[in-house]
């Protein structure tokens, strides 16, 4: 079992930004770091393309750094494997269909006896230098987030080998996988 951190490849591919950045960021993304579904309160969130890069199925989203955005093609390819763990929240774009992935699977999955934490000189824990997970917690989950300091560590989303393989087999563009743990 391997776990991968998933990111957008910002070097070669295009990015998205909110049209109404200040209003929409606060209104729609303020409750994003929770497992509470947002579908009922989700509105018409407009985005536009920035940059000159190639088309991406996982464009970097400058509207809210902790959110992942996927294309319609990526949604169709991944939906059956992710639908129990995420919400696909639609974005309004003039040419393409995009969705924000709201990850609902958030677990106390970090093995603190084996992890290396990133700390400030003050001792404040701000992240991970080396990950370690509890296999019994994450087993069977294809996508998830974890807690750090009793709060959702929203900056990173983790996926299974199965998701990485599906993305690669279907030639989805703009995905970057970083192996963070294996058991």
């Amino acid at each position: 079992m391997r776990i991968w951190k998933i990111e957008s490849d910002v070097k070669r591919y295009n990015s998205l930004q909110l049209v109404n950045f200040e209003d929409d960021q606060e209104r729609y993304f303020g409750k994003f770091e929770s497992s509470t579904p947002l579908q009922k309160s989700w509105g018409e969130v407009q985005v536009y393309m920035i940059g000159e890069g190639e088309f991406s199925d996982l464009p970097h989203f400058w509207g809210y750094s902790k959110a992942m955005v996927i294309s319609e093609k990526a949604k169709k390819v991944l939906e059956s494997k992710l639908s129990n763990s995420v919400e696909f929240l639609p974005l309004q774009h003039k040419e393409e269909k995009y969705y924000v992935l709201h990850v609902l699977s958030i677990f106390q999955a970090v093995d603190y006896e084996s992890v290396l934490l990133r700390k400030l000189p003050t001792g404040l824990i701000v992240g991970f230098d080396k990950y370690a997970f509890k296999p019994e917690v994450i087993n069977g989950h294809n996508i998830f987030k974890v807690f750090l300091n009793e709060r959702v560590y929203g900056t990173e989303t983790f996926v299974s080998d199965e998701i990485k393989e599906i993305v690669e087999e279907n030639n989805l563009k703009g995905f970057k996988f970083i192996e963070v743990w294996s058991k």
Side-chain angles (χ1 to χ4, degrees), residues 2-180:
R2 291 182 299 178
I3 299 298
W4 304 84
K5 180 172 75 171
I6 186 171
E7 297 178 351
S8 299
D9 183 345
V10 294
K11 292 185 179 174
R12 288 184 37 203
Y13 297 95
N14 54 23
S15 300
L16 291 175
Q17 174 63 285
L18 291 169
V19 170
N20 301 309
F21 183 81
E22 290 186 25
D23 292 339
D24 287 350
Q25 184 181 38
E26 187 174 319
R27 183 181 314 142
Y28 297 113
F29 295 95
K31 298 177 184 172
F32 217 73
E33 290 181 36
S34 80
S35 58
T36 303
L38 301 174
Q39 190 74 46
K40 290 182 180 177
S41 62
W42 194 253
E44 294 207 7
V45 180
Q46 297 181 1
V47 295
Y48 66 97
M49 195 66 61
I50 56 176
E52 299 290 325
E54 297 175 39
F55 174 82
S56 176
D57 291 300
L58 183 72
H60 183 78
F61 183 51
W62 294 100
Y64 184 71
S65 64
K66 299 173 185 178
M68 288 192 326
V69 172
I70 62 171
S71 68
E72 176 78 8
K73 177 183 177 185
K75 178 182 182 276
K76 287 178 180 175
V77 166
L78 295 168
E79 191 167 25
S80 68
K81 296 295 181 185
L82 299 181
S83 62
N84 292 335
S85 303
V86 303
E87 286 182 296
F88 296 94
L89 303 171
L91 295 172
Q92 309 298 314
H93 184 270
K94 63 182 180 178
E95 295 170 8
E96 302 287 339
K97 286 187 178 183
Y98 292 102
Y99 300 86
V100 176
L101 278 185
H102 178 217
V103 179
L104 302 173
S105 296
I106 306 168
F107 303 120
Q108 292 282 3
V110 175
D111 176 358
Y112 283 98
E113 292 182 14
S114 303
V115 75
L116 271 176
L117 297 169
R118 186 178 317 120
K119 297 179 183 180
L120 296 178
T122 61
L124 179 66
I125 298 169
V126 295
F128 299 95
D129 283 331
K130 178 186 169 201
Y131 288 94
F133 299 105
K134 299 175 186 173
E136 68 276 10
V137 175
I138 62 171
N139 191 30
H141 295 281
N142 284 319
I143 189 168
F144 63 93
K145 290 183 178 270
V146 298
F147 289 94
L148 176 67
N149 296 331
E150 303 304 318
R151 299 184 66 181
V152 176
Y153 188 55
T155 56
E156 298 186 0
T157 300
F158 303 99
V159 297
S160 65
D161 278 327
E162 186 174 8
I163 297 303
K164 180 180 183 288
E165 290 165 10
I166 291 169
V167 165
E168 291 170 347
E169 288 168 4
N170 287 277
N171 285 328
L172 296 177
K173 305 289 184 205
F175 284 75
K176 185 174 167 185
F177 294 96
I178 301 162
E179 185 177 346
V180 295

